[in-house]
Amino acid sequence: MSVSSTAPLRPDFKERELTEIERQILTSLQQIRFGSLEIVIHDSRVVQIERSEKLRFDAKGKALNESLS
C-alpha cells in the first residue's frame, strides 16, 4: 500500500482537526517504504503504534528505491 502526501482524506477528516494519534498514523504510513505498521488497541483506544521497516538492497549493495513487486 502506498500513501502519498496528496492522498485524499476521509470526508469527516476535512471537517475537523486531526487528533495526535491520527497525525502519527498518517505520518507513519507516508514515511514507510517497506515494512508494516501495527496499531495496538485496548478498550477501544489506540495505545501504541509499532512500525517495522526493512531496508532492501540490490545484488551490488545499492539501496532499492522502488517496491519489488
Side-chain angles (χ1 to χ4, degrees), residues 12-64:
D12 61 326
F13 283 177
K14 293 179 182 177
E15 298 172 8
R16 62 176 174 79
E17 288 287 320
L18 296 177
T19 66
E20 179 63 22
I21 293 170
E22 291 167 337
R23 279 193 296 276
Q24 289 292 332
I25 291 170
L26 288 173
T27 298
S28 293
L29 285 172
Q30 290 168 336
Q31 292 176 349
I32 198 165
R33 298 186 60 88
F34 300 100
S36 61
L37 185 70
E38 180 178 352
I39 302 166
V40 180
I41 300 169
H42 289 243
D43 294 327
S44 301
R45 296 183 63 224
V46 174
V47 296
Q48 184 171 314
I49 300 169
E50 296 181 24
R51 187 169 107 184
S52 173
E53 191 162 7
K54 299 177 183 205
L55 300 176
R56 295 186 176 181
F57 301 90
D58 65 13
K60 296 178 182 179
K62 182 178 178 185
L64 296 176

Side-chain angles (χ1 to χ4, degrees), residues 3-8 30:
V3 178
S4 70
S5 59
T6 58
Q30 290 168 336

